[in-house]
Every structure is written in structure tokens, then in C-alpha cells.
Amino acid sequence: MAAKVEAFLKRTRKWDAEFLCIGQNKEAFSAPNPEDVMARVTANLDYFAANYIFCLALFTLIAVVVYPQLLVMVCIFSGLWYGLLTRPPHIKVQVVAILVTKSHMKYSLAVVNGLCVLIFARSCIFATIGASVLCVLAHAAFREVPSKAKGKVT
């Protein structure tokens, strides 16, 4: 797993020169022809994949800081998950007549976590996802395909 993450992180392109085209770079941003959009987006998504993942993570971090309800939910559920995951693997809790195992508690907490996120923060989350995907696709569409990735354009 660590080797895969390390290999993926090595694919991160230089932020200033390659990704943002700051400096003396001939390959910059331009409006694509309608027939070239999909090829350009596909090539750039493949070439800048690691950079785009970092951008999505940055959008997520900004959303958690900007929207207080997300910050509260992250803190509460982080504490609950920490409390559950640090329990011994063989823990069992008697609830009325039912014996609840650790795996039951994990699934229950995952369902409660998902429902709380959908009920209390869906607009924040969908707005963040929409904005981040829009920025990534806009960069991929308007960024010229780098010469190092020219062989990947179909």
C-alpha cells in the first residue's frame, strides 16, 4: 500500500512551471476546439492526476474550515471512530437481549455517520464537490496538453 502511494505521489507535477504555467512556459492555457476538448481533458486528467487529487483535498480542507457544521461533525465523528477503533477486537456489548460485536458497532457508526452527513451537511458537501470538480475540469480543458504527455492524446 505504501509503495503504491509513493509511486502515485511521484507523479505530482511541478506546481509553478507545469501545472499553473507560471514563468517562461510556452505551453499555457488556451480555448480548445470543440472536437479537441475530450482528448485534452482525458490527457490532462491522466498527466496531472496527483495534482488534481491535491486540489480536491485542498477544497475539502477549506470546506471543513469554512463551514462550522462540518468542523463540528468531523470532530465528533473522529472522536467516536477513535473510541471504537481503539477497543479490543473481541469486545462485545449486551444491548437488551442482543449481543453486539465490534463489527456491528462499526457498521452502525458508519450508517449514523453517513445519515448525519446527508441530513446536516449535504448542501455544503455537494457545493464543495461541485466547485472542486468544476475547477479540475476547467483546468483540464483549458490547459494545453504538455509535450511530455503528447503521446497520450488519442
Side-chain angles (χ1 to χ4, degrees), residues 17-132:
E18 284 191 71
F19 189 73
L20 297 174
C21 300
I22 297 172
Q24 301 287 340
N25 197 347
K26 296 176 185 171
E27 300 170 339
F29 295 91
S30 65
N33 294 328
E35 60 272 359
D36 296 337
V37 172
M38 281 308 295
R40 185 185 278 194
V41 168
T42 305
N44 281 335
L45 283 176
D46 183 50
Y47 188 72
F48 292 114
N51 296 75
Y52 291 143
I53 295 294
F54 282 121
C55 290
L56 296 177
L58 181 67
F59 269 90
T60 303
L61 181 66
I62 290 171
V64 167
V65 172
V66 169
Y67 296 114
Q69 65 266 34
L70 288 180
L71 186 58
V72 169
M73 285 180 24
V74 165
C75 291
I76 290 172
F77 283 113
S78 295
L80 289 173
W81 278 106
Y82 175 78
L84 180 61
L85 294 175
T86 56
R87 300 296 119 209
H90 60 279
I91 188 171
K92 294 179 181 168
V93 178
Q94 181 80 27
V95 179
V96 186
I98 301 171
L99 199 59
V100 180
T101 65
K102 187 174 178 179
S103 64
H104 291 130
M105 289 185 244
K106 285 182 186 176
Y107 291 125
S108 300
L109 185 55
V111 168
V112 169
N113 193 345
L115 287 174
C116 286
V117 166
L118 284 176
I119 290 170
F120 297 114
R122 68 180 170 267
S123 62
C124 302
I125 291 172
F126 289 135
T128 303
I129 290 170
S132 59

